[in-house]
Amino acid sequence: MTETTTRTAPDSGTEVVLPVHTDLLRLATAGSVDDGKSTLVGRLLHDTKSVLADQLDAVHRASADRGLQTPDLSLLVDGLRAEREQGITIDVAYRYFATPQRSFVLADTPGHVQYTRNTVTGASTAQLAILLVDARKGVIEQTRRHAAVLALLGVPRLVLAINKIDMVDFDAAVHERIAAEFAGHARALGYADDAVRTIPVSALHGDNVVERSANTPWYSGPSLLEHLETVPVAPDPFDAPFRMPVQYVIRPRTAEHPDYRGYAGQVAAGVVAQGDEVVVLPAGIRTRVSQVDTPDGPAPRAAAGRSVTLLLEDDVDLSRGDLIAAADSAPRVTDELDATVCWLAEKPLQPGARVLVKHGTRTVQAMVTELSARFDEQELVAVDAPDSLALNEIGRVQLRTAEPLPIDEYAASRRTGSFLVIDPADGTTLAAGLIGLPLAPLAAAVAS
């Protein structure tokens, strides 16, 4: 049974039903190989007592087998055999833990440049990202690349964790130099100063991870966990216009439910209530919601993040892939997409490429008609009309889809303003796409 709570929507003043996880913080880690991401996550889990005794025993045994004097806490996260053998994180590892103040879903993403696609996956739903740098190396190329990806995805808040501060003798000058350099870069990417927090940490020894460290008396800010517990978090977009991609059409055709016909999916944005006028897209058919079913039974309304089944007043030809939206603020329906993509494939993207576009629950054929700009995430400038986009590069593209899609600008709706570009030959993901120009320096370069 899904627990729910109620909250007053700020714009309408109406009371809405929300999932209980509104106090949840979804966060992701990013950083270069060997910056200590997995060790930091392991330290967080260990010091918040979120590790089972048998898991900790296994880590102690594995560490002893390697001849280590202290437990390697990264083993709590790096679950894949290949990761342990190589000592790097390959897949996105999700971990769940809680403190009395807040619950957390943490995505530990790979640091190696060839696995940037996994970083995109882990950060795509994050409300905050912890970007690690090695205090001995400072801000490097991969740091700037990850920061650009996080800004592109609209991750609202960043923590720059300057790890291995013990390796530079807890030198305040090192911390200040790295913090100042990154602050300028983050500001250029569109982050406000109060959206970025810099914390000196030693994941290996626990300095400033859960408890503030006596080794950094020059640092007066919170520990990492204190910041995560108190940082303001924007709730799911329940005050945005209603959107729900249809995942399944439910027709039991049983003696108990002979005429039941419901449309199941997760509310991507906004609130839906019994009696609301909605429009089914791309067909454009208007009707009203006659009933909102949830796993706990019928409900008067449901908000973003909740899985529901909607019953409609009229018999509408509707199937998986369609979008049900608020009738008075429907998304634009078009077969021409002006978008920003982060290219995630080894083979480069070139104009004329034929691909699949997966938007919500619908997948359609498409062609890249133009590659109009490439964003240089190192220099923060745009290069006009490039010949191609290579692995991990960000660019502005135009696509024509074989069928019209109901789209929002990504800046207005992360969930219905994003899409995936897929290789039709083998089904692999080629790029993450965002409608519009959500990256501030790229938008400024295009406008100039």
Side-chain angles (χ1 to χ4, degrees):
M1 177 175 175
T2 302
E3 293 185 68
T4 60
T5 185
T6 59
R7 179 172 293 184
T8 302
D11 290 344
S12 64
T14 58
E15 191 175 70
V16 298
V17 180
L18 298 172
V20 76
H21 58 62
T22 46
D23 289 329
L24 183 89
L25 176 63
R26 295 186 294 270
L27 65 154
T29 62
S32 303
V33 175
D34 294 334
D35 278 352
K37 296 181 303 303
S38 296
T39 302
L40 180 65
V41 174
R43 173 63 65 182
L44 270 175
L45 296 175
H46 178 270
D47 289 3
T48 55
K49 299 181 173 35
S50 304
V51 183
L52 298 176
D54 59 337
Q55 293 176 313
L56 193 56
D57 289 343
V59 168
H60 278 279
R61 288 195 300 273
S63 301
D65 291 343
R66 294 180 175 187
L68 301 176
Q69 300 299 314
T70 57
D72 181 356
L73 296 179
S74 70
L75 297 178
L76 291 169
V77 180
D78 292 340
L80 296 178
R81 179 182 296 275
E83 292 175 356
R84 293 192 180 193
E85 290 175 347
Q86 297 180 45
I88 62 173
T89 302
I90 295 174
D91 203 355
V92 180
Y94 289 95
R95 292 294 181 270
Y96 308 86
F97 65 102
T99 68
Q101 285 72 36
R102 180 171 276 175
S103 298
F104 303 91
V105 177
L106 190 153
D108 182 35
T109 67
H112 198 283
V113 64
Q114 75 185 89
Y115 300 119
T116 300
R117 65 172 69 91
N118 304 61
T119 303
V120 174
T121 300
S124 61
T125 59
Q127 298 159 303
L128 178 147
I130 303 172
L131 184 55
L132 276 82
V133 296
D134 186 325
R136 299 168 297 177
K137 302 175 183 175
V139 176
I140 61 175
E141 179 178 336
Q142 185 73 329
T143 311
R144 290 187 284 271
R145 177 177 295 113
H146 279 150
V149 168
L150 297 172
L152 173 68
L153 295 172
V155 178
R157 293 183 178 275
L158 299 181
V159 171
L160 180 70
I162 302 178
N163 193 24
K164 305 184 183 182
I165 195 70
D166 55 304
M167 302 293 285
V168 294
D169 298 326
F170 300 98
D171 190 338
V174 172
H175 171 265
E176 292 175 3
R177 176 179 56 77
I178 297 173
E181 181 182 356
F182 184 76
H185 190 77
R187 201 175 297 122
L189 288 169
Y191 281 102
D193 289 347
D194 61 359
V196 181
R197 164 69 71 174
T198 302
I199 303 176
V201 302
S202 170
L204 183 63
H205 301 293
D207 296 276
N208 292 325
V209 176
V210 171
E211 304 290 343
R212 299 186 202 189
S213 173
N215 293 318
T216 54
W218 39 266
Y219 173 70
S220 59
S223 70
L224 177 60
L225 182 63
E226 288 172 341
H227 181 66
L228 298 180
E229 289 179 329
T230 57
V231 65
V233 176
D236 281 326
F238 63 88
D239 56 343
F242 166 67
R243 306 281 188 264
M244 192 190 87
V246 175
Q247 292 182 328
Y248 301 103
V249 177
I250 299 177
R251 298 187 67 188
R253 295 178 177 174
T254 62
E256 186 178 1
H257 302 287
D259 300 319
Y260 188 97
R261 185 183 182 93
Y263 306 100
Q266 186 181 60
V267 180
V271 177
V272 62
Q274 184 178 3
D276 282 355
E277 186 179 16
V278 295
V279 59
V280 177
L281 298 171
I285 302 170
R286 290 184 175 236
T287 182
R288 289 188 180 275
V289 176
S290 61
Q291 187 169 315
V292 180
D293 281 350
T294 74
D296 308 320
R301 58 184 64 84
R306 188 140 204 224
S307 295
V308 299
T309 299
L310 301 183
L311 279 66
L312 304 179
E313 287 186 355
D314 302 298
D315 186 10
V316 178
D317 183 13
L318 197 160
S319 60
R320 174 181 169 84
D322 288 337
L323 181 79
I324 304 176
D328 60 354
S329 54
R332 181 165 56 98
V333 178
T334 180
D335 60 358
E336 300 282 348
L337 307 185
D338 184 354
T340 304
V341 299
C342 181
W343 192 248
L344 305 172
E346 295 286 348
K347 64 179 180 181
L349 169 66
Q350 294 178 322
R354 295 186 180 278
V355 297
L356 296 176
V357 167
K358 185 177 188 301
H359 175 259
T361 54
R362 179 184 292 267
T363 302
V364 301
Q365 295 180 338
M367 183 175 72
V368 179
T369 56
E370 185 178 351
L371 180 52
S372 53
R374 177 178 62 80
F375 179 64
D376 184 335
E377 79 280 358
Q378 303 298 316
E379 301 297 331
L380 302 182
V381 296
V383 178
D384 292 334
D387 294 331
S388 62
L389 275 187
L391 175 68
N392 298 328
E393 288 188 331
I394 295 170
R396 181 190 184 194
V397 303
Q398 283 70 45
L399 300 104
R400 180 180 300 121
T401 58
E403 302 171 32
L405 296 173
I407 59 170
D408 289 296
E409 292 288 311
Y410 184 77
S413 174
R414 290 176 72 177
R415 297 181 182 176
T416 54
S418 59
F419 60 91
L420 294 176
V421 180
I422 298 171
D423 189 335
D426 57 16
T428 57
T429 298
L430 299 174
L434 315 173
I435 303 297
L437 292 167
L439 192 58
L442 180 58
V446 170
S448 62

